[in-house]
Amino acid sequence: MPSKRYQPRRYQARHARRVFPVPRSVFIALGVVVLLFVYLLVEPRLLQVESRTVVTSALSGDVKQLRIVYVSDIHYGAWPYLTQGDVEELVSRINAQNADLVLLGGDYAQDSDGAIAFFRSLPTIRASYGVYGVVGNHDRTLPESNLALLRSAMIQSGVTPIVNEVTSVRVGRQDIYLAGLDDVSNGWPDLAGVASQCRSSDLVILLCHDPSIIEEALSTPDMNGSKSWFDLGLFGHTHGGQVALLGPLLGLGHSDGLYTRGWYAPTRSTTLLVSRGAGTSVLPFRLGCRPQLHVITIKSQE
């Protein structure tokens, strides 16, 4: 009979391992990462309608105010956003603003073929005095002959292209001038030629996709030698960095650092906007850079 003090040894497998509990903080961290990734995909659909008033003496007192809708960098066909349904929703949002003028800032798709397809299927954009647009670097991909096809598609959709041109819009008893430049990187912007058709005494709105031309535009004289020849400059291209802080590191910033996003007033008579755009490029993410649609009210100083 075994002794009362004897206790048989408990068998333990030679390769048994101790199990350590996973800290709760690990699950929390994983949850935060998953939520962040989901939000990166959601934010590109959170279109912000931004309203801004610009007061200028260049607008005559009988006009009083001019309501402009501006949108840039739509990037139609960039997976998984900006499907045809998304474009129809965007146009619906534009039309809901009851604009006097609708201005488009370029990069309508991922390449020139896509830009042509975009305008061929574009729903009607409504504006009292018309719809006008410039072209971006994605719209100016080869072949060069696509520019003529793109211009034709724009016109057929009710959008007037302004590429190295100045066009006038009659509003009340005043002519408003729209000066449009070709793309900086893939086109041939004729800044001197456009500026030479303008006067600082007129209300001039400058449109160019890429804001890297701003400094040159501010120092280029108009037909009378004045360097303050445009009142409002509208640009895009940068996407505001698209992913805040990390945008330049991911190649999403498209900026020289001077004009990245938002509003600027480099002179007393000139106001600039660099839009964050409506679509995405390179990666289908946004963080701290919601897509934008701008409603700009120009008011007479009188």
Side-chain angles (χ1 to χ4, degrees), residues 261-274:
R261 61 175 174 174
W263 291 88
Y264 303 87
T267 72
R268 292 182 60 185
S269 60
T270 304
T271 302
L272 308 173
L273 167 64
V274 180

Side-chain angles (χ1 to χ4, degrees), residues 58-73:
L59 185 65
S60 66
D62 72 296
V63 177
K64 294 185 179 178
Q65 69 177 38
L66 187 68
R67 187 175 175 86
I68 297 171
V69 168
Y70 175 67
V71 63
S72 184
D73 297 275

